[in-house]
Structure formats: structure tokens, C-alpha cells
Amino acid sequence: MKNGITEKPDDWDKVISKLVFKKEYVRGLYRLGHFRHVLVIFGFHRMRRTLLRVHPRRDLSLGEVGVFATRSPTRPNRLGLTRVRLVGVRKNVVTVEGLDAFDGSPVYDVKPPEDEIDYFNRQARRKSR
Amino acid sequence: MKNGITEKPDDWDKVISKLVFKKEYVRGLYRLGHFRHVLVIFGFHRMRRTLLRVHPRRDLSLGEVGVFATRSPTRPNRLGLTRVRLVGVRKNVVTVEGLDAFDGSPVYDVKPPEDEIDYFNRQARRKSR
């Protein structure tokens, strides 16, 4: 994944990232562009610490909770999951907005959000008539 | 993961599954039980085929789309992601309802759903007063 982000930005929401797929997977991206959002499963590849207890949102007033009760990157598996806005799909590159991952993060999967799948099917039906 | 399901059931919604964590991760499950649902990232470990184009929901009338535009298990990475109802957490076992995975599927992560995190924080604040 490429986005040029190497330091934590003030706001991830406007960060544009390019998810670069292997050329052999281009066929698997067909019609992904019909969705408005996608779920991205990625790796927190720069994280070195594992913390099994964390303060949610780094807010010390909240008290510690287990890392699996949060989205914290200090989880043992280093897996991140974020719903992002889909900007576009061109050949083997999926461009998204709002992915909270540093430049070079591995991307493991892209999935359509459940709440947009009906919309997508309606589109598919309409076009197939 | 244990649920005793070895053949596809009529309905996954009522299937109860026990996600068994390594004992060393028990601390990481603290307070997970406050959520009503969790997102489970797991592996489609019995799938042998990779299909880059599929008919969504196996509905032939819809036409083929890329596998990344679906939730199909025939994706190259074999990653599944499902929002399930959280039944309970006891020691290293997280019991959930509605996970569409066969017995023995590897579980890679459990995360709280974004739309329940505010609820959770309110609970934490209330209890800390």
C-alpha cells in the first residue's frame, strides 16, 4: 500500500492510499468500483509492541481494557480493519480515502461492506436487463 | 474455533461457536464481554478452490463479479470477516452466535464493532466514577 505517510497525521480521514494488488488478481477486482466504501484488512507492520491491556483511544480516564475490546494496533496479530471511502479502481490499483495505515502496510483483503451489498446487487440486476 | 459444524447448515444465524484463545491472551479479552456484537476475522480453512470471478450469493442471474467485490470464501487470502452476536466471555473462550465458519476454523482476530465503541466507553466512564 502506498500513501507516503510515514508519521502520524493530524487526521487520517483525508489520507489517500493506493492499494496495489498483484497483477494476477486484477480479475478479482471486477465491479468492486460499484461500492462507495470498502473494508480493508491490513497489517500494522511498523508496530513493535504488544500490549494486552490498553486505554481505549489512549484516554487515561477510561481505564484499561483488553486489547481485543479495542481497535488498538498493539494486538498480537497486528491486524487492522478499517472501513474506508472507495475513490476508484483502475487495473490493479484500488484508491481509497481514510485508511489509517502507514506507507508500505501490507494489505490482506478488501471486502464490500454488508450494508452496501444490496445496493450493489440492485445495480447488477439493472445492468443485466 | 469449535462449533461441531462440519456440513453447511440451513442457517448459520443460530450456530453457536466457541473461539478458544491461547491462555497467554486471556488478559487481552478483559471487558470484551461488554459488547453486544464482535467482528471475527477467521480463515476459510476447508476451501481449496480460488475463483477470481464469482456469482454473488451463487445467484446466476446476477452475473459474475470479482471475488473482492463479494464475501465469497474462494478469495486467494481465505480471509473471512463476520459480525456476530457475542454470547459471553469466560477465561480464554469467547462464545458467539452466527459465525459462518466450519468447526476448526482458525480465528485471527476479534474486534469490537465501531458502532458499539461509544456505548462501551460510556459504560467504562460510568463504572469509573
Side-chain angles (χ1 to χ4, degrees):
Chain A
M1 184 276 282
K2 299 177 186 173
N3 63 11
I5 304 290
T6 58
E7 299 294 329
K8 194 176 179 189
D10 291 336
D11 186 1
W12 286 104
D13 281 355
K14 293 296 172 193
V15 170
I16 300 289
S17 299
K18 291 188 179 298
L19 318 182
V20 183
F21 282 67
K22 290 183 185 174
K23 291 272 166 64
E24 67 199 82
Y25 294 146
V26 168
R27 292 183 70 238
L29 297 172
Y30 180 58
R31 298 200 75 132
L32 179 66
H34 288 254
F35 293 97
R36 289 164 292 150
H37 299 86
V38 291
L39 304 174
V40 181
I41 301 176
F42 61 97
F44 294 115
H45 72 306
R46 290 191 358 187
M47 180 54 62
R48 294 289 171 267
R49 291 181 306 170
T50 296
L51 297 173
L52 291 179
R53 291 277 174 96
V54 297
H55 293 279
R57 298 176 182 169
R58 299 185 185 177
D59 182 342
L60 300 185
S61 74
L62 291 176
E64 284 190 323
V65 302
V67 73
F68 295 114
T70 75
R71 297 292 190 115
S72 170
T74 64
R75 52 210 322 112
N77 52 56
R78 302 283 188 263
L79 286 178
L81 169 66
T82 304
R83 180 188 175 107
V84 298
R85 196 171 75 79
L86 179 61
V87 177
V89 181
R90 190 187 160 94
K91 292 181 179 170
N92 66 320
V93 179
V94 177
T95 304
V96 301
E97 184 181 63
L99 184 63
D100 53 333
F102 290 115
D103 191 61
S105 296
V107 171
Y108 302 127
D109 202 359
V110 168
K111 293 178 190 287
E114 285 287 353
D115 61 350
E116 292 185 14
I117 287 178
D118 279 342
Y119 164 76
F120 171 72
N121 285 349
R122 278 200 298 274
Q123 290 284 98
R125 277 182 210 278
R126 197 169 63 202
K127 294 208 176 185
S128 69
R129 275 172 196 158
Chain B
M1 183 275 280
K2 299 177 187 173
N3 62 10
I5 303 291
T6 57
E7 299 295 327
K8 192 174 180 190
D10 291 337
D11 186 1
W12 287 104
D13 282 356
K14 294 296 172 193
V15 170
I16 299 289
S17 299
K18 292 190 178 296
L19 318 182
V20 183
F21 283 66
K22 290 183 184 173
K23 293 271 167 61
E24 67 198 84
Y25 295 147
V26 168
R27 291 183 69 239
L29 296 173
Y30 180 56
R31 298 200 73 132
L32 179 66
H34 288 255
F35 292 97
R36 287 163 293 149
H37 300 86
V38 290
L39 304 175
V40 180
I41 301 176
F42 62 97
F44 293 114
H45 73 306
R46 291 192 357 187
M47 179 54 61
R48 293 290 171 267
R49 292 180 307 169
T50 296
L51 297 173
L52 292 179
R53 291 276 174 95
V54 297
H55 294 279
R57 297 174 182 170
R58 299 186 185 175
D59 182 342
L60 299 185
S61 74
L62 291 176
E64 284 190 324
V65 303
V67 73
F68 295 114
T70 75
R71 298 292 190 114
S72 170
T74 64
R75 54 209 321 113
N77 52 58
R78 302 284 187 261
L79 287 178
L81 169 66
T82 304
R83 180 187 176 107
V84 297
R85 194 171 76 79
L86 179 60
V87 177
V89 180
R90 189 186 161 95
K91 293 183 179 171
N92 66 321
V93 179
V94 177
T95 304
V96 301
E97 184 181 62
L99 184 62
D100 53 333
F102 290 115
D103 191 61
S105 296
V107 171
Y108 302 127
D109 202 359
V110 168
K111 294 177 190 285
E114 284 288 354
D115 61 348
E116 292 184 13
I117 287 179
D118 280 342
Y119 164 77
F120 172 72
N121 285 347
R122 278 199 299 273
Q123 289 285 99
R125 278 182 209 277
R126 197 170 64 202
K127 294 211 173 183
S128 69
R129 273 172 196 159

